[in-house]
Amino acid sequence: MTSAEAGTLRRLAPPARRFLAHRKGVLVRLALWSLAESGQAFLVGHAVARSVDEGFLAGDPRRGLLWLGIALVAVLSGARVVRGVFAQLAGVTEPLRDGLVRRAVDRSMARAAQGGPGGTDRAAVSRLTNQVEIARDSFAGLVLTLRSFVFTAAGALLGLLSLHPALLVVVLPPLAAGLALFLVTLRPMAAAQRRALAADEALGDHAARARAALRDLAACGTGPGTERSGADLVADAAAAARTLAGWAAVRTAALGVAGHLPVLALLVAVEWLRGHGVSVGALLGAFTYLVQSLLPALHTLMTALGAAGSRLLVVLDRILGAEPEPEPESDPRLGSGLESEPGSRPSTASAPGAAAFAVHTAAAPAVELRAVTLSYGVRAEPVLDALDLCVAPGEHLAVVGPSGIGKSTLTRLVAGTLAPSRGEVRVAGRPVTGRPAAELAALRVLVPQDAYVFSGTVGDNLAYLRTDTSRAELDAAVGAFGLGPLVERLGGLDATVRPAELSPGERQLVALVRAYLSPAPLLLLDEATCHLDPASEARAEEALAGRAGSLVVVAHRLSSAVRADRTLVLDGVRAQCGTHAELLGRSPLYRDLTGHWNS
């Protein structure tokens, strides 16, 4: 047993003892019915042996039939015993299920009350709909099989001893060997069960996050990445299930050893047993004990311990953990933390975590990529290959290159909505991959090509990322972007916006003002001005460049590169970064792009 499993057992032992201590009456009645089962097991084999030795072989068929009748009564009484056992079993399993449901609900409510970047406890759905039922069924199976094995084995072994002690010498060694072989599989079986449950929770959590982010996935084109992430999680769950099935096959082999070797050993040792005074009736009684009582009980016990036992240990550890485990961090491929994602926006100028980042990263680069490689598949050509990039605080960087070369991929990597295959991406000195959405929203704003505007007032749309924005700041931002005529046409800042009535360019201007007012130190524009005319684009970029913080623009026109402090050229072979003049001298692709633009 691993230290983790030992710790789990130590943690679960006190509540288990308290649970059972409150149900002593049910346990006593269950034990009384089990004693009846033990007597039944003893009578069946003993009656068979006496019917042969004292009846049929002794020339007294009536006596033989009488003993067989006793065996028949013992067998038929098993139905009454089983009914009594199940009647008492409900008094143990149903309170367990109710307690686990209360625990799972309380735990989820406590997490929701705590709030914070972790969000809600999405794994609670798996606990309530799946894990609680696993715990109840597994506990019921363990109670049934452990009770049956203990009392049935006691009755059968006592019967073998009463027939002849030599029978135990033959039967016990193979039984013990099969049981020992089975016990070897318990630890890896529990580990495989734990991995399978973790994979199930991860898949459910991914589905919940993807469902909540459908709007942003569609707006930013991150759907394919999310689909690949889901496929990976499905593959992980399938691999965990295959591993679990493999250990189940080993367990089945152990069952075969324990279930067949004792019978084979008894057959092989018949001559030796006869030489030690074992009668024919005692041999038949021994076979009856093995086939009818001992081996079925052992088979059931090993099945329950191998499957129900490991499942119960893992599930109880998850549901009855002393403290809620931290919520898994946001999947970097889901597109969470986008420019307009509800629940992830900073509500004030000092968003949660923003001050800590500012203190820690005062001198850190605004953006830093260290040997970043991204491939959409193991054998696919990399979209970005060992890219190094450093953007200084306050710098204005433009990104240019042919269509499909990886410009949008780069912005998603920097935004933390896409994880690199290799390398590291840092914003303000902190890695962004896997960081919670609220922390990402405090660091950067990503404005995609298809800007999002919601049904609400004009002011609410503009101040969505900074709710404490004053009216004077709103008016100044509207003037800086030339948005005054649109606001006036809509009826002022307090008028309601109907997104369908805005043109794509007007929606982009609203989103750009929203980003301008955000407290995040980094703005990422992924062709966010493609629907604007050149004059409006220049005005917007100049306003954004004059804002405190850094600006990274995926250029729709080469004029954006001319206005930037530096330009990054992606050409599919290598990336080059420099000023407009420097790139004209050393980048043939940039010269070609500039020539086409000028012409």
Side-chain angles (χ1 to χ4, degrees):
M1 179 177 294
T2 64
S3 59
E5 290 166 343
T8 298
L9 287 175
R10 286 194 297 270
R11 185 167 58 254
L12 296 179
R17 284 195 295 268
R18 290 193 297 270
F19 176 79
L20 295 176
H22 287 85
R23 286 154 185 86
K24 292 180 180 178
V26 175
L27 295 178
V28 169
R29 291 190 294 271
L30 194 59
L32 291 176
W33 282 109
S34 300
L35 281 175
E37 187 173 357
S38 182
Q40 174 202 13
F42 176 84
L43 277 176
V44 171
H46 192 80
V48 169
R50 292 291 178 264
S51 69
V52 173
D53 288 338
E54 299 177 6
F56 301 113
L57 291 181
D60 190 351
R62 288 186 178 182
R63 190 176 185 84
L65 291 173
L66 177 61
W67 279 110
L68 287 181
I70 294 174
L72 179 61
V73 171
V75 171
L76 294 177
S77 66
R80 182 72 181 91
V81 172
V82 170
R83 180 181 177 183
V85 167
F86 272 91
Q88 301 305 318
L89 185 64
V92 180
T93 57
E94 294 310 310
L96 174 71
R97 179 187 180 279
D98 295 342
L100 293 179
V101 169
R102 283 194 298 271
R103 171 63 179 171
V105 172
D106 290 345
R107 186 176 182 181
S108 181
M109 294 296 290
R111 168 163 291 174
Q114 290 171 2
T120 56
D121 184 10
R122 296 178 178 88
V125 176
S126 177
R127 295 191 188 103
L128 286 173
T129 60
N130 185 28
Q131 297 181 25
V132 166
E133 295 304 319
I134 290 177
R136 180 183 67 171
D137 295 343
S138 300
F139 181 70
L142 281 177
V143 171
L144 282 175
T145 53
L146 284 172
R147 173 207 57 80
S148 177
F149 176 76
V150 169
F151 287 94
T152 300
L157 292 176
L158 183 62
L160 287 171
L161 181 63
S162 68
L163 295 178
H164 201 287
L167 293 170
L168 291 178
V169 176
V170 175
V171 169
L172 281 181
L175 278 175
L179 186 59
L181 179 62
F182 167 75
L183 291 176
V184 173
T185 69
L186 288 181
R187 187 170 68 180
M189 191 79 155
Q193 185 67 49
R194 185 176 289 106
R195 287 193 296 271
L197 280 175
D200 176 66
E201 285 188 354
L203 184 58
D205 182 73
H206 174 86
R209 291 179 185 275
R211 185 173 60 252
L214 286 177
R215 181 194 66 217
D216 294 328
L217 292 175
C220 296
T222 54
T226 303
E227 183 179 354
R228 285 188 294 272
S229 175
D232 291 342
L233 291 173
V234 170
D236 291 342
R242 285 192 295 270
T243 301
L244 192 61
W247 282 111
V250 176
R251 184 201 65 202
T252 302
L255 290 175
V257 172
H260 294 88
L261 281 185
V263 177
L264 181 61
L266 198 59
L267 289 173
V268 171
V270 165
E271 185 177 355
W272 179 82
L273 290 171
R274 292 288 290 157
H276 283 75
V278 178
S279 66
V280 174
L283 285 172
L284 290 177
F287 279 111
T288 302
Y289 281 128
L290 286 177
V291 175
Q292 295 295 326
S293 300
L294 193 57
L295 296 184
L298 180 63
H299 183 281
T300 306
L301 172 72
M302 293 168 72
T303 302
L305 286 178
S310 59
R311 284 199 303 268
L312 182 63
L313 183 65
V314 174
V315 170
L316 288 181
D317 185 34
R318 288 184 175 274
I319 297 178
L320 298 178
E323 296 294 337
E325 71 271 13
E327 181 74 10
E329 289 186 349
S330 169
D331 190 326
R333 291 163 288 191
L334 281 181
S336 58
L338 294 178
E339 170 268 324
S340 59
E341 182 185 356
S344 66
R345 56 177 173 153
S347 59
T348 67
S350 56
F357 282 121
V359 172
H360 180 79
T361 62
V367 178
E368 186 176 12
L369 275 67
R370 302 176 180 176
V372 169
T373 298
L374 180 85
S375 299
Y376 291 111
V378 178
R379 297 179 177 83
E381 289 293 326
V383 179
L384 299 174
D385 191 4
L387 176 62
D388 292 310
L389 177 66
C390 185
V391 179
E395 185 176 11
H396 178 187
L397 177 76
V399 183
V400 301
S403 177
I405 204 66
K407 302 187 296 295
S408 296
T409 297
L410 176 63
T411 60
R412 290 164 59 196
L413 286 168
V414 175
T417 63
L418 185 66
S421 304
R422 292 188 299 275
E424 186 178 38
V425 181
R426 289 176 173 264
V427 171
R430 295 295 183 93
V432 296
T433 302
R435 192 165 293 280
E439 293 184 11
L440 289 175
L443 287 175
R444 89 290 181 270
V445 174
L446 171 62
V447 184
Q449 179 177 350
D450 296 320
Y452 172 67
V453 177
F454 56 87
S455 297
T457 68
V458 177
D460 287 343
N461 268 278
L462 298 180
Y464 180 73
L465 299 178
R466 183 183 162 197
T467 56
D468 66 343
T469 305
S470 67
R471 180 58 66 99
E473 289 174 318
L474 285 174
D475 291 337
V478 167
F481 284 80
L483 203 62
L486 173 62
V487 173
E488 184 177 349
R489 176 169 64 83
L490 293 175
L493 293 174
D494 296 325
T496 300
V497 176
R498 294 178 177 83
E501 296 179 359
L502 300 182
S503 68
E506 289 170 338
R507 287 196 292 270
Q508 282 189 333
L509 279 175
V510 171
L512 290 171
V513 174
R514 181 190 301 156
Y516 174 81
L517 292 170
S518 164
L522 173 64
L523 300 187
L524 301 168
L525 308 186
D526 186 6
E527 296 196 7
T529 59
C530 63
H531 296 299
L532 302 182
D533 60 78
S536 297
E537 179 186 57
R539 185 173 185 171
E541 285 189 7
E542 287 172 2
L544 292 171
R547 172 187 180 274
S550 303
L551 177 63
V552 176
V553 178
V554 173
H556 176 66
R557 300 179 178 92
L558 262 294
S559 54
S560 296
V562 176
R563 286 188 292 267
D565 298 324
R566 287 190 303 156
T567 300
L568 174 67
V569 182
L570 300 178
D571 62 4
V573 178
R574 65 183 184 277
Q576 296 190 60
C577 192
T579 64
H580 174 68
E582 291 171 344
L583 291 172
L584 285 175
R586 68 170 187 255
S587 174
L589 174 61
Y590 189 75
R591 285 197 300 272
D592 289 343
L593 292 173
T594 304
H596 288 301
W597 172 57
N598 288 331
S599 62

